[in-house]
Amino acid sequence: MDIRLIWLAVGTFAIGVESFAVPSLLPQIADSTGVSLTQAGYLVIAFALANAFGSPVLAALTGTADRRRTLTITALVFSLGAIGAAFSRGYFDLMAARIMMAFAAGLYTATAQATGVAISSADHRARAISVIVGGTTMAVAFGAPLGALVAGLVGWRGSYGMVALFGIIAAASIWVMLPAGLRGAQLSLRQRIAAVALPGVPGALLTTWLNLAGAFTVIIYLAVVTTRSMGLAPELVPAVLLAFGIGAAFGNAAGGQLADRIGARPTVIAAAALNALMLVGISLVAHLPGGIIGPAFFVLILAWGATGWAFPPAQSSYLLGLAPNSAPLVLSLNASALYLGIASGSLIAGLVLQFGTVNDLGWVGATLPALALVGIGLSAIRRHEARPSMARLG
């Protein structure tokens, strides 16, 4: 494996720490900035939308720029945004800092994946992308609970200081390790978006959107679910995140292996189905006898991390199979669909808390991957019905 991929992954790790630690910090942020929990959740929505829509635009604008310079600058801008968040004086200052970080994060991720493909041989491109995406998985496994732990010790602003440090390390490492002169082909925004029309891609992107939206209906308020729904102590939130992260690390590896062995599509379907079941389980476990809730919740969170994070590598593999000659494009679109899912799930969760209860988050979230499965089933039926017609035409 090319060691340079590791340094590219350090940047995605820093981005992932910020993205996945913030949900556990929302209660602290709400108290500190004087807003409601739902309004604090808008910080996640703003980041996700800025990332989703900013990434393809910025990638098109910087397509022919030196990638070492682009990656270094975006990592530093991301760190500057984290410092701004740490020293923000109020809710809107924090919102502006997070939007700045989101634009930098989207461009960094898209450029890092394209760079990983460029410096790898043709038969190792998927592996290169998996290493870079693995930085996000490691952030879920270890960065998010570490961020929650730091926030418990020194407050949520200290977590942003930690994120800034990771971003600076990534910038320095990339500047030293990557060669100068790596440039991409000039692709317009229209060319990038045109990848959406490739056969099978629209349905796959919709599946990503719905599956992540369902998961983030709970993930964004996992700290609240832990303390209010399950009745556990706030000090246990980092342990819950760690259990989820350990499951995610295992699921990421297992998802890639299963996609190779049984096929990417069956793995995607199984992961989406299990995601729906686990989300329903989160709503149900709160109704167990008091002494069982804690252990059952930890087991469920561990299993949910494993099944939920089996989805991303399998879905990436499926998209690569659909459009092997447009890998960077479809993967960047998949990242946009992922962040749109995060935004949608966060918005839905806020509405659930406004009009329902914390216990409703799980079953409401479960309806979204269930809809994705319905869509997959209908697509399979249409393809099956189209085959006899094509055979007759032949």
PDB file of all heavy atoms in Angstrom, residues 95-123:
ATOM      1  N   MET A  95     -22.234  28.848  13.736  1.00  0.00           N
ATOM      2  CA  MET A  95     -22.819  28.417  12.463  1.00  0.00           C
ATOM      3  C   MET A  95     -21.914  28.809  11.295  1.00  0.00           C
ATOM      4  O   MET A  95     -21.646  27.999  10.393  1.00  0.00           O
ATOM      5  CB  MET A  95     -24.202  29.050  12.300  1.00  0.00           C
ATOM      6  CG  MET A  95     -24.897  28.743  10.978  1.00  0.00           C
ATOM      7  SD  MET A  95     -25.533  27.053  10.901  1.00  0.00           S
ATOM      8  CE  MET A  95     -27.035  27.233  11.898  1.00  0.00           C
ATOM      9  N   ALA A  96     -21.433  30.037  11.287  1.00  0.00           N
ATOM     10  CA  ALA A  96     -20.563  30.504  10.201  1.00  0.00           C
ATOM     11  C   ALA A  96     -19.264  29.699  10.147  1.00  0.00           C
ATOM     12  O   ALA A  96     -18.787  29.340   9.062  1.00  0.00           O
ATOM     13  CB  ALA A  96     -20.258  31.987  10.383  1.00  0.00           C
ATOM     14  N   ALA A  97     -18.701  29.397  11.318  1.00  0.00           N
ATOM     15  CA  ALA A  97     -17.463  28.613  11.360  1.00  0.00           C
ATOM     16  C   ALA A  97     -17.685  27.207  10.805  1.00  0.00           C
ATOM     17  O   ALA A  97     -16.843  26.683  10.061  1.00  0.00           O
ATOM     18  CB  ALA A  97     -16.945  28.549  12.796  1.00  0.00           C
ATOM     19  N   ARG A  98     -18.823  26.612  11.140  1.00  0.00           N
ATOM     20  CA  ARG A  98     -19.113  25.255  10.655  1.00  0.00           C
ATOM     21  C   ARG A  98     -19.361  25.229   9.151  1.00  0.00           C
ATOM     22  O   ARG A  98     -18.974  24.278   8.466  1.00  0.00           O
ATOM     23  CB  ARG A  98     -20.331  24.671  11.377  1.00  0.00           C
ATOM     24  CG  ARG A  98     -20.076  24.354  12.844  1.00  0.00           C
ATOM     25  CD  ARG A  98     -20.920  23.176  13.289  1.00  0.00           C
ATOM     26  NE  ARG A  98     -20.304  21.921  12.918  1.00  0.00           N
ATOM     27  CZ  ARG A  98     -20.961  20.861  12.456  1.00  0.00           C
ATOM     28  NH1 ARG A  98     -22.252  20.922  12.276  1.00  0.00           N
ATOM     29  NH2 ARG A  98     -20.332  19.753  12.177  1.00  0.00           N
ATOM     30  N   ILE A  99     -19.994  26.259   8.611  1.00  0.00           N
ATOM     31  CA  ILE A  99     -20.200  26.318   7.162  1.00  0.00           C
ATOM     32  C   ILE A  99     -18.855  26.455   6.446  1.00  0.00           C
ATOM     33  O   ILE A  99     -18.617  25.811   5.416  1.00  0.00           O
ATOM     34  CB  ILE A  99     -21.145  27.482   6.811  1.00  0.00           C
ATOM     35  CG1 ILE A  99     -22.562  27.168   7.306  1.00  0.00           C
ATOM     36  CG2 ILE A  99     -21.154  27.743   5.307  1.00  0.00           C
ATOM     37  CD1 ILE A  99     -23.539  28.314   7.157  1.00  0.00           C
ATOM     38  N   MET A 100     -17.982  27.277   6.991  1.00  0.00           N
ATOM     39  CA  MET A 100     -16.630  27.406   6.439  1.00  0.00           C
ATOM     40  C   MET A 100     -15.911  26.058   6.460  1.00  0.00           C
ATOM     41  O   MET A 100     -15.275  25.653   5.475  1.00  0.00           O
ATOM     42  CB  MET A 100     -15.852  28.437   7.262  1.00  0.00           C
ATOM     43  CG  MET A 100     -14.405  28.594   6.901  1.00  0.00           C
ATOM     44  SD  MET A 100     -13.625  29.826   7.995  1.00  0.00           S
ATOM     45  CE  MET A 100     -11.899  29.648   7.519  1.00  0.00           C
ATOM     46  N   MET A 101     -16.019  25.343   7.560  1.00  0.00           N
ATOM     47  CA  MET A 101     -15.404  24.027   7.664  1.00  0.00           C
ATOM     48  C   MET A 101     -16.017  23.042   6.672  1.00  0.00           C
ATOM     49  O   MET A 101     -15.320  22.195   6.103  1.00  0.00           O
ATOM     50  CB  MET A 101     -15.579  23.487   9.091  1.00  0.00           C
ATOM     51  CG  MET A 101     -14.847  24.274  10.152  1.00  0.00           C
ATOM     52  SD  MET A 101     -15.234  23.698  11.825  1.00  0.00           S
ATOM     53  CE  MET A 101     -14.328  22.135  11.832  1.00  0.00           C
ATOM     54  N   ALA A 102     -17.329  23.153   6.439  1.00  0.00           N
ATOM     55  CA  ALA A 102     -18.011  22.226   5.536  1.00  0.00           C
ATOM     56  C   ALA A 102     -17.523  22.382   4.106  1.00  0.00           C
ATOM     57  O   ALA A 102     -17.291  21.392   3.402  1.00  0.00           O
ATOM     58  CB  ALA A 102     -19.517  22.452   5.612  1.00  0.00           C
ATOM     59  N   PHE A 103     -17.362  23.638   3.648  1.00  0.00           N
ATOM     60  CA  PHE A 103     -16.851  23.853   2.290  1.00  0.00           C
ATOM     61  C   PHE A 103     -15.452  23.257   2.140  1.00  0.00           C
ATOM     62  O   PHE A 103     -15.138  22.600   1.144  1.00  0.00           O
ATOM     63  CB  PHE A 103     -16.831  25.350   1.969  1.00  0.00           C
ATOM     64  CG  PHE A 103     -18.192  25.929   1.676  1.00  0.00           C
ATOM     65  CD1 PHE A 103     -18.596  27.107   2.274  1.00  0.00           C
ATOM     66  CD2 PHE A 103     -19.060  25.302   0.798  1.00  0.00           C
ATOM     67  CE1 PHE A 103     -19.845  27.656   1.998  1.00  0.00           C
ATOM     68  CE2 PHE A 103     -20.315  25.832   0.519  1.00  0.00           C
ATOM     69  CZ  PHE A 103     -20.710  27.015   1.120  1.00  0.00           C
ATOM     70  N   ALA A 104     -14.602  23.500   3.146  1.00  0.00           N
ATOM     71  CA  ALA A 104     -13.244  22.956   3.104  1.00  0.00           C
ATOM     72  C   ALA A 104     -13.269  21.434   3.156  1.00  0.00           C
ATOM     73  O   ALA A 104     -12.523  20.762   2.431  1.00  0.00           O
ATOM     74  CB  ALA A 104     -12.425  23.512   4.268  1.00  0.00           C
ATOM     75  N   ALA A 105     -14.141  20.873   3.995  1.00  0.00           N
ATOM     76  CA  ALA A 105     -14.220  19.422   4.145  1.00  0.00           C
ATOM     77  C   ALA A 105     -14.671  18.756   2.849  1.00  0.00           C
ATOM     78  O   ALA A 105     -14.130  17.724   2.434  1.00  0.00           O
ATOM     79  CB  ALA A 105     -15.181  19.065   5.277  1.00  0.00           C
ATOM     80  N   GLY A 106     -15.679  19.344   2.182  1.00  0.00           N
ATOM     81  CA  GLY A 106     -16.166  18.764   0.942  1.00  0.00           C
ATOM     82  C   GLY A 106     -15.116  18.757  -0.147  1.00  0.00           C
ATOM     83  O   GLY A 106     -14.928  17.762  -0.854  1.00  0.00           O
ATOM     84  N   LEU A 107     -14.395  19.878  -0.300  1.00  0.00           N
ATOM     85  CA  LEU A 107     -13.349  19.952  -1.321  1.00  0.00           C
ATOM     86  C   LEU A 107     -12.204  19.015  -0.974  1.00  0.00           C
ATOM     87  O   LEU A 107     -11.650  18.343  -1.855  1.00  0.00           O
ATOM     88  CB  LEU A 107     -12.845  21.388  -1.445  1.00  0.00           C
ATOM     89  CG  LEU A 107     -11.719  21.609  -2.467  1.00  0.00           C
ATOM     90  CD1 LEU A 107     -12.130  21.129  -3.846  1.00  0.00           C
ATOM     91  CD2 LEU A 107     -11.316  23.089  -2.499  1.00  0.00           C
ATOM     92  N   TYR A 108     -11.838  18.949   0.316  1.00  0.00           N
ATOM     93  CA  TYR A 108     -10.738  18.064   0.714  1.00  0.00           C
ATOM     94  C   TYR A 108     -11.072  16.609   0.378  1.00  0.00           C
ATOM     95  O   TYR A 108     -10.253  15.894  -0.219  1.00  0.00           O
ATOM     96  CB  TYR A 108     -10.454  18.185   2.208  1.00  0.00           C
ATOM     97  CG  TYR A 108      -9.319  17.271   2.638  1.00  0.00           C
ATOM     98  CD1 TYR A 108      -8.012  17.729   2.664  1.00  0.00           C
ATOM     99  CD2 TYR A 108      -9.546  15.930   2.957  1.00  0.00           C
ATOM    100  CE1 TYR A 108      -6.960  16.886   3.017  1.00  0.00           C
ATOM    101  CE2 TYR A 108      -8.510  15.083   3.300  1.00  0.00           C
ATOM    102  CZ  TYR A 108      -7.219  15.554   3.328  1.00  0.00           C
ATOM    103  OH  TYR A 108      -6.185  14.702   3.655  1.00  0.00           O
ATOM    104  N   THR A 109     -12.265  16.161   0.754  1.00  0.00           N
ATOM    105  CA  THR A 109     -12.624  14.758   0.551  1.00  0.00           C
ATOM    106  C   THR A 109     -12.642  14.404  -0.927  1.00  0.00           C
ATOM    107  O   THR A 109     -12.114  13.354  -1.336  1.00  0.00           O
ATOM    108  CB  THR A 109     -14.000  14.470   1.181  1.00  0.00           C
ATOM    109  OG1 THR A 109     -13.946  14.786   2.579  1.00  0.00           O
ATOM    110  CG2 THR A 109     -14.378  13.013   1.021  1.00  0.00           C
ATOM    111  N   ALA A 110     -13.257  15.262  -1.752  1.00  0.00           N
ATOM    112  CA  ALA A 110     -13.315  14.990  -3.189  1.00  0.00           C
ATOM    113  C   ALA A 110     -11.916  14.961  -3.804  1.00  0.00           C
ATOM    114  O   ALA A 110     -11.588  14.072  -4.611  1.00  0.00           O
ATOM    115  CB  ALA A 110     -14.172  16.049  -3.884  1.00  0.00           C
ATOM    116  N   THR A 111     -11.057  15.918  -3.405  1.00  0.00           N
ATOM    117  CA  THR A 111      -9.700  15.980  -3.952  1.00  0.00           C
ATOM    118  C   THR A 111      -8.852  14.819  -3.451  1.00  0.00           C
ATOM    119  O   THR A 111      -8.043  14.258  -4.204  1.00  0.00           O
ATOM    120  CB  THR A 111      -9.038  17.315  -3.573  1.00  0.00           C
ATOM    121  OG1 THR A 111      -9.873  18.399  -3.984  1.00  0.00           O
ATOM    122  CG2 THR A 111      -7.677  17.461  -4.243  1.00  0.00           C
ATOM    123  N   ALA A 112      -9.023  14.431  -2.192  1.00  0.00           N
ATOM    124  CA  ALA A 112      -8.249  13.322  -1.638  1.00  0.00           C
ATOM    125  C   ALA A 112      -8.580  12.017  -2.350  1.00  0.00           C
ATOM    126  O   ALA A 112      -7.680  11.224  -2.672  1.00  0.00           O
ATOM    127  CB  ALA A 112      -8.530  13.191  -0.141  1.00  0.00           C
ATOM    128  N   GLN A 113      -9.862  11.785  -2.627  1.00  0.00           N
ATOM    129  CA  GLN A 113     -10.230  10.557  -3.341  1.00  0.00           C
ATOM    130  C   GLN A 113      -9.666  10.559  -4.755  1.00  0.00           C
ATOM    131  O   GLN A 113      -9.134   9.542  -5.221  1.00  0.00           O
ATOM    132  CB  GLN A 113     -11.753  10.412  -3.374  1.00  0.00           C
ATOM    133  CG  GLN A 113     -12.360  10.068  -2.027  1.00  0.00           C
ATOM    134  CD  GLN A 113     -13.835   9.731  -2.132  1.00  0.00           C
ATOM    135  OE1 GLN A 113     -14.435   9.804  -3.199  1.00  0.00           O
ATOM    136  NE2 GLN A 113     -14.436   9.372  -1.016  1.00  0.00           N
ATOM    137  N   ALA A 114      -9.773  11.695  -5.448  1.00  0.00           N
ATOM    138  CA  ALA A 114      -9.226  11.786  -6.802  1.00  0.00           C
ATOM    139  C   ALA A 114      -7.710  11.607  -6.794  1.00  0.00           C
ATOM    140  O   ALA A 114      -7.141  10.959  -7.681  1.00  0.00           O
ATOM    141  CB  ALA A 114      -9.595  13.134  -7.420  1.00  0.00           C
ATOM    142  N   THR A 115      -7.037  12.142  -5.778  1.00  0.00           N
ATOM    143  CA  THR A 115      -5.583  11.998  -5.664  1.00  0.00           C
ATOM    144  C   THR A 115      -5.208  10.555  -5.376  1.00  0.00           C
ATOM    145  O   THR A 115      -4.232  10.023  -5.935  1.00  0.00           O
ATOM    146  CB  THR A 115      -5.042  12.915  -4.553  1.00  0.00           C
ATOM    147  OG1 THR A 115      -5.424  14.258  -4.832  1.00  0.00           O
ATOM    148  CG2 THR A 115      -3.535  12.822  -4.456  1.00  0.00           C
ATOM    149  N   GLY A 116      -5.970   9.902  -4.504  1.00  0.00           N
ATOM    150  CA  GLY A 116      -5.708   8.494  -4.210  1.00  0.00           C
ATOM    151  C   GLY A 116      -5.796   7.637  -5.451  1.00  0.00           C
ATOM    152  O   GLY A 116      -4.978   6.727  -5.670  1.00  0.00           O
ATOM    153  N   VAL A 117      -6.796   7.911  -6.297  1.00  0.00           N
ATOM    154  CA  VAL A 117      -6.941   7.180  -7.559  1.00  0.00           C
ATOM    155  C   VAL A 117      -5.758   7.484  -8.481  1.00  0.00           C
ATOM    156  O   VAL A 117      -5.210   6.587  -9.131  1.00  0.00           O
ATOM    157  CB  VAL A 117      -8.279   7.551  -8.242  1.00  0.00           C
ATOM    158  CG1 VAL A 117      -8.332   7.018  -9.668  1.00  0.00           C
ATOM    159  CG2 VAL A 117      -9.450   7.009  -7.429  1.00  0.00           C
ATOM    160  N   ALA A 118      -5.326   8.751  -8.525  1.00  0.00           N
ATOM    161  CA  ALA A 118      -4.261   9.167  -9.440  1.00  0.00           C
ATOM    162  C   ALA A 118      -2.914   8.534  -9.096  1.00  0.00           C
ATOM    163  O   ALA A 118      -2.124   8.232  -9.990  1.00  0.00           O
ATOM    164  CB  ALA A 118      -4.146  10.687  -9.437  1.00  0.00           C
ATOM    165  N   ILE A 119      -2.617   8.355  -7.805  1.00  0.00           N
ATOM    166  CA  ILE A 119      -1.297   7.836  -7.419  1.00  0.00           C
ATOM    167  C   ILE A 119      -1.292   6.321  -7.262  1.00  0.00           C
ATOM    168  O   ILE A 119      -0.272   5.748  -6.884  1.00  0.00           O
ATOM    169  CB  ILE A 119      -0.806   8.491  -6.109  1.00  0.00           C
ATOM    170  CG1 ILE A 119      -1.722   8.140  -4.930  1.00  0.00           C
ATOM    171  CG2 ILE A 119      -0.690   9.999  -6.271  1.00  0.00           C
ATOM    172  CD1 ILE A 119      -1.249   8.696  -3.594  1.00  0.00           C
ATOM    173  N   SER A 120      -2.426   5.662  -7.566  1.00  0.00           N
ATOM    174  CA  SER A 120      -2.516   4.214  -7.432  1.00  0.00           C
ATOM    175  C   SER A 120      -2.648   3.565  -8.810  1.00  0.00           C
ATOM    176  O   SER A 120      -3.140   4.197  -9.759  1.00  0.00           O
ATOM    177  CB  SER A 120      -3.734   3.827  -6.569  1.00  0.00           C
ATOM    178  OG  SER A 120      -3.653   4.413  -5.291  1.00  0.00           O
ATOM    179  N   SER A 121      -2.223   2.328  -8.906  1.00  0.00           N
ATOM    180  CA  SER A 121      -2.387   1.588 -10.148  1.00  0.00           C
ATOM    181  C   SER A 121      -3.858   1.257 -10.357  1.00  0.00           C
ATOM    182  O   SER A 121      -4.667   1.296  -9.415  1.00  0.00           O
ATOM    183  CB  SER A 121      -1.561   0.294 -10.117  1.00  0.00           C
ATOM    184  OG  SER A 121      -1.962  -0.516  -9.020  1.00  0.00           O
ATOM    185  N   ALA A 122      -4.220   0.915 -11.592  1.00  0.00           N
ATOM    186  CA  ALA A 122      -5.628   0.704 -11.932  1.00  0.00           C
ATOM    187  C   ALA A 122      -6.273  -0.391 -11.099  1.00  0.00           C
ATOM    188  O   ALA A 122      -7.449  -0.303 -10.746  1.00  0.00           O
ATOM    189  CB  ALA A 122      -5.743   0.364 -13.417  1.00  0.00           C
ATOM    190  N   ASP A 123      -5.497  -1.439 -10.755  1.00  0.00           N
ATOM    191  CA  ASP A 123      -6.076  -2.555 -10.004  1.00  0.00           C
ATOM    192  C   ASP A 123      -6.093  -2.313  -8.499  1.00  0.00           C
ATOM    193  O   ASP A 123      -6.510  -3.177  -7.733  1.00  0.00           O
ATOM    194  CB  ASP A 123      -5.315  -3.853 -10.312  1.00  0.00           C
ATOM    195  CG  ASP A 123      -3.832  -3.760 -10.003  1.00  0.00           C
ATOM    196  OD1 ASP A 123      -3.301  -2.628  -9.989  1.00  0.00           O
ATOM    197  OD2 ASP A 123      -3.191  -4.803  -9.780  1.00  0.00           O
TER     198      ASP A 123
END
